[in-house]
Amino acid sequence: MERWRAQEAPEPRRPDAPLVLVAHHKGALRLAAIDAEALRLGLAPGLPLADARARLPGLAVAELDEAADRHWLARLARGCARWSPRVASLPPDGIVIDIAGVGHLFGGEAGLIAAIEEEMAGRGMTVRLAAATTAAAARALARHATLPVTDERAAIRALPIAALELDDEANLALRRAGLATIGDIASRPAVPFAARFGQSALSALRRLTGDEQAPIKTLAQPARLRFARRFAEPIGHRDAVAACFAELLSEAAATLAERGLGGRRFRLALSRCDGARHRLEVETGLPTRDPALVLRLLDERIASLADPLDPGFGYDAIALTVPVTQPLADAQPQLDGHEQAEARLAELINRLSTRLGPDAICRLVPQDSHIPEQAQLALPAIRCPEPERRSDLWPAPPPGEPPLRPLFLFDPPQPVEVLAEVPDGPPRRFRWRRKLHEVRLYEGPERIAGEWWKRRGGEHPGQGGLTRDYFRVEDVRGRRFWIFRHGLYAERQGPKWFLHGLFA
Amino acid sequence: MRFAAALPSDSVLADSPAAPLRRWPSGCAGLDAALAGGFAYGRVHEFYAAEAVDAAAAAGFVGAIASGMAPGTAVLWLRSQRAARAAGVIQANGLNELAAAGHGLIGVAPDDMALLRTAADAVRCAALGAVIVEGWGAMRELDLTASRRLALAAAKSGVPLLLLRMEAEPVPSSAQTRWRVGPAPSRALPGNAPGRPCFEIELLRQRSGPFGLGWQVEWDRDRGKFREASSASLGGALSGAVVSVPAGGAVAGAGSTGAQAA
């Protein structure tokens, strides 16, 4: 519920309306999660949505997104690594942290619990926290016990039998036998219990009471790719620094090769002995492990710095990190021609983007818009890989037709003075940049209306934006222009004409 | 000390019979005959647009040639920021409709020096099909030495460099061919509509070949070649009514068939 609130901006609704999340279950839309307001008004999870709406007509409803919830939980669990390296997430809504040996860093267990509560409250999450000797016990206490827990053993004994997480039949059987809490079961002999409900139920019970300890499956934390060198004497000579770069890059290449990864971004941090820090960052289009390639890009980066790199009295430490990586298979010794060409082109794009900036070299991709100035988007070539088939990108023009879209487009369109028939006539003569052009051939009008669905009240006539009438004209000298009239005579008194683009 | 010894001799640029130069036939017989087969790969070709208003025609001509010389491979179009301001934004759909070009990359350099350095690097990359460099104004940095460097890099990698010079006067350089390009009236489609792009080109200079010739060519996108357009087939007389404006300057009153100056 909190994830929904934090991540998805709610549509405008009455601020005091109760919010519920629904999911499809047993053939009907049922409430899967409800907020405090809905709870107070008497709803409960599992109620069909139709019933809930009948009770509270002003209910705000949204879909339950389980995948997003899992992702959010995994992110939270990774964030919990600041308290302990052994963290596991328990879907759908739990996190287990193994705090053996870390309590003293946060001022004892109580201090640690307080820190966690504060952090979670800061993120807007309501959490139930409990600590115990075994992971299963902690989980059960957090889910079922009344918090805060002062006496662990007593609290465990007071847990309801639902804490064992057996199936409904077993729960029913236990209730019929008159056993309501864990304490009741624990005081009975174990062997008949195991015979009736199975060995797994018995081990669940023993994990709760602390007789058995099961390790948690912690989230794997991949070791950061960080390679550093510290120098006893500060080094400032260019050759020494270059040699250090090369050494760090070879070490990084070996580690990346072990993991089967290639780096996309490389960051060098140089610490000067007087405390100043320099950072150099290079980015590549394709993942790479090649030290020579990264060194060449670093040379470009250093050459394009505004201030030259000044070692001062020398560098104390140089560190290389590889923040962004991608899987990279081992290079085949013989690349075929196509892959070699691709690699060379990628290297050229890397080099030029490092020198001129990533936005300097672009690929133009089509946008789904009929407005001419929004028909394409310029994406940096270093981030946007080459399309698989070029025919997918821009549609093939019909054969036999001259170009219907101009080669160059002015941004903004340039105003021109036009002589034309009212209301729909084509331009006969126009003046642009103080030169008069006589129109010999023309095609049009191509009517391009504004995007009325994007405007407030655009569906009403007259409020959808001005319509443009485009004409493809050629003058006596053979120059071809794309001219439009901004607005119809019915829409606007005295519409203006503009030159939008030039054809070949 | 001989300065010429510092750079490799120009013999690399000469056409040796042992390794004939690869050429792209433009499709126009007279043009190909004058060029000894067509536009040469691995050389620099310069195209001048006389006035700023002819820039689109020159750019379209060069775009068409680049798409013909590099089918299916990447073409890099380098411009200076001044070009982006003066000519406008290159439209990929327009380029696609003009000449079904290969994967296109557009690069913008802050000034002329950076543009030439980038062009030199790009020409060395053999993976590109063609490199178009669009420069505006008299680029002082493009002197004879820089031009020769570009020519040698192109000869080594085999990538053709098409140099567009807008708003500039022709100057001596190491280009294989030097052209002046302007727009030409097109053959009207039925309905009095502008037809396929037509260009009026003049071969100003060619290294070891005839020059001083001119043609009017029409670009056929479907075949990917040029065609000679004889002036007889192009519309000579003006078509369309010329509207007369009264001598006093005031136009006729409002009416749906009246002309109105906008």
Side-chain angles (χ1 to χ4, degrees):
Chain A
M1 179 62 68
E2 277 87 6
R3 175 204 74 82
W4 195 93
R5 234 185 268 275
Q7 279 194 324
E8 281 155 51
E11 311 89 49
R13 58 179 174 91
R14 288 187 355 258
D16 49 356
L19 175 68
V20 294
L21 300 179
V22 295
H24 213 82
H25 184 61
K26 283 195 194 152
L29 275 178
R30 288 171 193 273
L31 303 187
I34 58 179
D35 75 344
E37 176 74 15
L39 190 64
R40 195 180 63 82
L41 290 171
L43 299 178
L47 205 59
L49 178 61
D51 289 356
R53 275 226 174 97
R55 285 191 214 177
L56 299 172
L59 203 58
V61 177
E63 280 252 343
L64 183 73
D65 187 353
E66 283 179 7
D69 282 345
R70 266 201 307 272
H71 192 68
W72 175 262
L73 190 68
R75 274 179 64 189
L76 266 183
R78 275 200 294 273
C80 290
R82 76 183 70 181
W83 293 300
S84 160
R86 291 181 296 274
V87 179
S89 73
L90 303 167
D93 54 3
I95 296 180
V96 162
I97 308 178
D98 188 349
I99 57 176
V102 300
H104 69 278
L105 294 170
F106 298 94
E109 265 185 34
L112 177 57
I113 291 186
I116 298 180
E117 268 176 0
E118 200 180 308
E119 172 73 26
M120 289 298 162
R123 287 168 187 269
M125 310 283 304
T126 32
V127 289
R128 295 167 57 91
L129 273 174
T133 44
T134 64
R139 189 173 160 197
L141 284 174
R143 287 223 162 103
H144 303 281
T146 47
L147 301 174
V149 167
T150 39
D151 183 2
E152 192 188 314
R153 287 196 68 86
I156 291 180
R157 289 192 170 266
L159 281 173
I161 51 174
L164 279 176
E165 292 181 6
L166 303 172
D167 55 2
D168 293 338
E169 261 187 39
N171 280 344
L172 193 60
L174 282 170
R175 258 204 301 277
R176 281 215 190 110
L179 305 170
T181 65
I182 299 290
D184 291 342
I185 306 179
S187 51
R188 297 278 197 276
V191 172
F193 180 73
R196 171 71 179 82
F197 294 106
Q199 190 62 27
S200 54
L202 184 64
S203 15
L205 177 66
R206 292 171 65 127
R207 264 182 248 136
L208 278 183
T209 53
D211 296 327
E212 212 178 272
Q213 175 75 277
I216 55 175
K217 227 171 32 173
T218 54
L219 289 173
Q221 301 274 13
R224 271 180 70 202
L225 287 161
R226 186 171 190 277
F227 312 92
R229 293 272 185 279
R230 284 180 204 279
F231 308 110
E233 289 262 345
I235 58 168
H237 197 245
R238 213 173 40 151
D239 294 339
V241 175
C244 179
F245 282 179
E247 236 180 72
L248 286 172
L249 282 169
S250 328
E251 206 184 306
T255 315
L256 286 170
E258 262 170 54
R259 297 197 200 175
L261 298 172
R264 285 283 302 273
R265 202 177 290 178
F266 296 85
R267 208 176 275 165
L268 267 175
L270 303 147
S271 319
R272 243 172 35 180
C273 56
D274 61 355
R277 286 206 177 176
H278 294 148
R279 281 218 174 84
L280 296 169
E281 190 171 312
V282 294
E283 203 179 327
T284 60
L286 296 174
T288 177
R289 287 199 280 263
D290 185 7
L293 195 147
V294 183
L295 272 175
R296 281 197 290 269
L297 290 178
L298 277 172
D299 280 339
E300 285 283 353
R301 169 63 73 218
I302 293 177
S304 69
L305 285 177
D307 300 320
L309 210 58
D310 178 21
F313 283 111
Y315 293 118
D316 268 341
I318 300 183
L320 169 75
T321 47
V322 190
V324 180
T325 56
Q326 260 182 12
L328 179 67
D330 287 331
Q332 282 118 18
Q334 286 125 5
L335 294 171
D336 71 334
H338 177 69
E339 280 176 21
Q340 220 173 23
E342 229 181 79
R344 272 205 225 138
L345 186 58
E347 204 195 314
L348 178 71
I349 295 178
N350 289 343
R351 195 144 26 101
L352 297 181
S353 302
T354 310
R355 190 191 300 161
L356 303 170
D359 292 330
I361 312 284
C362 297
R363 252 183 246 282
L364 299 171
V365 293
Q367 290 285 97
D368 186 19
S369 171
H370 63 282
I371 307 279
E373 59 263 22
Q374 291 168 8
Q376 69 183 22
L377 196 61
L379 294 179
I382 200 168
R383 309 244 167 87
C384 166
E386 210 170 279
E388 281 301 316
R389 272 187 326 210
R390 203 218 137 255
S391 51
D392 287 340
L393 267 196
W394 293 96
E401 289 285 324
L404 296 174
R405 284 288 178 268
L407 185 57
F408 291 115
L409 211 65
F410 289 111
D411 178 26
Q414 308 209 337
V416 291
E417 293 169 4
V418 165
L419 192 73
E421 268 182 17
V422 167
D424 283 333
R428 301 271 182 211
R429 227 179 263 155
F430 65 94
R431 185 186 298 276
W432 177 50
R433 286 184 180 166
R434 276 178 267 155
K435 286 216 189 88
L436 193 63
H437 300 266
E438 281 279 346
V439 169
R440 182 175 76 100
L441 304 170
Y442 68 88
E443 187 180 41
E446 186 183 345
R447 192 157 283 189
I448 295 185
E451 289 181 321
W452 55 267
W453 56 91
K454 285 193 177 164
R455 289 166 182 254
R456 184 180 286 279
E459 66 272 16
H460 303 298
Q463 289 183 32
L466 292 175
T467 308
R468 304 180 204 168
D469 269 353
Y470 278 88
F471 291 91
R472 200 163 63 87
V473 303
E474 181 175 323
D475 75 353
V476 268
R477 281 285 307 276
R479 303 183 189 116
R480 288 164 276 272
F481 304 90
W482 211 37
I483 296 185
F484 72 93
R485 185 191 345 107
H486 192 53
L488 305 172
Y489 276 91
E491 284 173 352
R492 197 198 148 110
Q493 191 67 2
K496 295 203 165 49
W497 290 79
F498 293 91
L499 173 68
H500 209 174
L502 300 171
F503 289 91
Chain B
M1 176 140 89
R2 296 186 52 218
F3 290 147
L7 287 172
S9 68
D10 276 349
S11 59
V12 173
L13 297 173
D15 204 0
S16 57
L21 202 50
R22 228 176 104 218
R23 289 175 188 273
W24 175 70
S26 65
C28 172
L31 187 57
D32 289 339
L35 290 177
F39 286 92
Y41 284 86
R43 296 284 186 266
V44 178
H45 303 276
E46 278 186 337
F47 302 86
Y48 283 85
E51 300 158 29
V53 72
D54 295 337
F61 186 64
V62 167
I65 295 179
S67 82
M69 290 180 93
T73 45
V75 172
L76 177 60
W77 189 313
L78 291 169
R79 329 172 74 190
S80 57
Q81 271 179 1
R82 185 175 162 187
R85 277 197 300 269
V89 182
I90 295 181
Q91 294 295 298
N93 50 4
L95 198 52
N96 183 43
E97 299 217 355
L98 170 73
H103 324 262
L105 292 164
I106 314 273
V108 179
D111 56 27
D112 287 338
M113 192 68 224
L115 181 67
L116 291 173
R117 276 186 66 204
T118 311
D121 277 335
V123 162
R124 280 190 205 111
C125 173
L128 286 173
V131 177
I132 304 177
V133 175
E134 184 184 339
W136 275 70
M139 301 203 296
R140 299 251 155 66
E141 291 91 351
L142 188 52
D143 56 2
L144 206 52
T145 320
S147 172
R148 197 176 289 163
R149 217 171 263 146
L150 285 175
L152 288 168
K156 197 158 164 212
S157 66
V159 175
L161 176 64
L162 307 169
L163 197 47
L164 261 177
R165 303 283 304 269
M166 318 284 210
E167 256 187 0
E169 285 307 315
V171 291
S173 70
S174 298
Q176 176 82 6
T177 54
R178 194 180 304 144
W179 302 82
R180 177 173 278 142
V181 183
S186 64
R187 256 187 318 166
L189 295 179
N192 218 27
R196 297 204 182 107
C198 281
F199 307 100
E200 186 175 328
I201 57 181
E202 190 189 334
L203 180 54
L204 298 172
R205 188 123 172 82
Q206 193 188 170
R207 224 184 163 88
S208 59
F211 56 90
L213 309 164
W215 296 270
Q216 268 196 347
V217 292
E218 183 188 79
W219 170 250
D220 188 347
R221 171 194 66 219
D222 307 313
R223 282 192 319 132
K225 296 277 187 216
F226 288 96
R227 184 189 295 141
E228 178 124 26
S230 60
S231 23
S233 65
L234 298 175
L238 287 177
S239 48
V242 176
V243 178
S244 58
V245 178
V251 292
S256 59
T257 52
Q260 178 168 348

